[in-house]
Amino acid sequence: MTTNENTLHNPNAYLTTGVNKRKANIFWWLFVSMSRGLAAFIAIYSMLSLGASLIGNVYNQNAWWIDFSVLPPVFFLVVQPLLTLTLGLFALNVPRSVFSRIMTALPIFAGLFTAIINTIEVYTVAQSGSITLGFPLPFSFFVSVGLFCILLSVLLGHTYLGSLRSRKTRRPLSVLLILFSFALTMVLFPVGQMFCFGTTDYRVKVDAAVVFGAQVFPGGWPSAVLQDRLDTAIEFYEEGNTPLLVMSGGIDVEGTNEAQAMRDYAIERGIPPQSIIMDEYGDTTKDTARNTVASLQAAGITKVATVSNFYHLARIKMLYLAEGMDVVTVPSQPNKDPRFPLFNIVREIPGWWYYWLQNLVE
């Protein structure tokens, strides 16, 4: 029976078909709008990274979402600007013609291919035992999913949007959805870094391990958060991964010396005093990075690990890179303080962006 004959025998068939088609169009309108917001975020992020590179900033901003070094240098120089441009154009307008869709899709496909390679590399390194994944999916996996969604929107979006594109009432709603998607990505981006990168344990042999301070109670007893960091660092030392622990912390308003309290705790746990040095001016994460890079490099030490909570490590890595030192990160194990640190995670989101932008212009 043909479609027309079926409609004659069943008057509700046409209505059902129309409703399903409308649902499909609304789904694709939502999907494409959200993809455009994601594309806008990546385009602006990548454009700022490229701009920083052009003015001589050696800090690799792009490494936080994709590693183009897997591509040949010439290919990389072409793909990155084209990917940035095409994502920006797609964020502004969905391509209509077959030719424009294909030309827009090619650089996005190259980016997707690169992100997939990045994902495979992470699992390969984890399989070798060099790192231990704390979160089952690497950040590059989510980048791959995002680029795949954008690619689908580029290739198929215009076909399904049809009747919805011509409705003026949809345009302001599309703009709102794009802005919402952009803002949501800005929040999820550093959160993804915290969980995917921050929970990964890069436990390798180094020349020194820097332990980041936290609250110390009156009388010199470390808080639960700080005890977790210290216990992890002590375990790292006892495993033979480092001969030196650097205790970095500030002096609070009550005069409590965090670094001294950390040193005392480690000695009480059996660490030899000669294996501990203190940085008593680590009032902030940036201060610790700057102070320890200067002192360790002066001593000829370049292989360094950093120990802190998982939500803190992405920002730590960023600040050390900005100071010219690449460090490995070791997340503290939540033995004394097993609570989920929601407040700290939320606080880290603006902090991550603040330092990212600051490093971008310096």
Side-chain angles (χ1 to χ4, degrees), residues 43-57 61-62 80 84 360-361:
I44 293 174
Y45 185 97
S46 184
M47 180 181 66
L48 290 173
S49 300
L50 282 170
S53 300
L54 291 175
I55 63 175
N57 188 331
Q61 307 285 339
N62 256 342
Q80 188 176 354
T84 303
L360 190 74
V361 298

Side-chain angles (χ1 to χ4, degrees), residues 27 35 43 113 208 243 350:
F27 167 80
S35 297
F113 177 74

Side-chain angles (χ1 to χ4, degrees), residues 211-269:
V211 190
F212 281 72
Q215 182 185 15
V216 174
F217 298 118
W221 187 250
S223 61
V225 170
L226 185 53
Q227 286 185 60
D228 286 342
R229 296 179 186 183
L230 289 166
D231 289 344
T232 301
I234 290 167
E235 180 185 62
F236 188 71
Y237 174 91
E238 291 175 341
E239 289 173 349
N241 292 311
T242 182
L244 186 65
L245 295 178
V246 183
M247 305 300 184
S248 181
I251 299 175
D252 63 23
V253 293
E254 297 178 352
T256 304
N257 189 319
E258 288 181 5
Q260 183 64 55
M262 294 162 70
R263 181 179 185 274
D264 293 344
Y265 181 89
I267 291 174
E268 188 178 319
R269 288 283 309 275

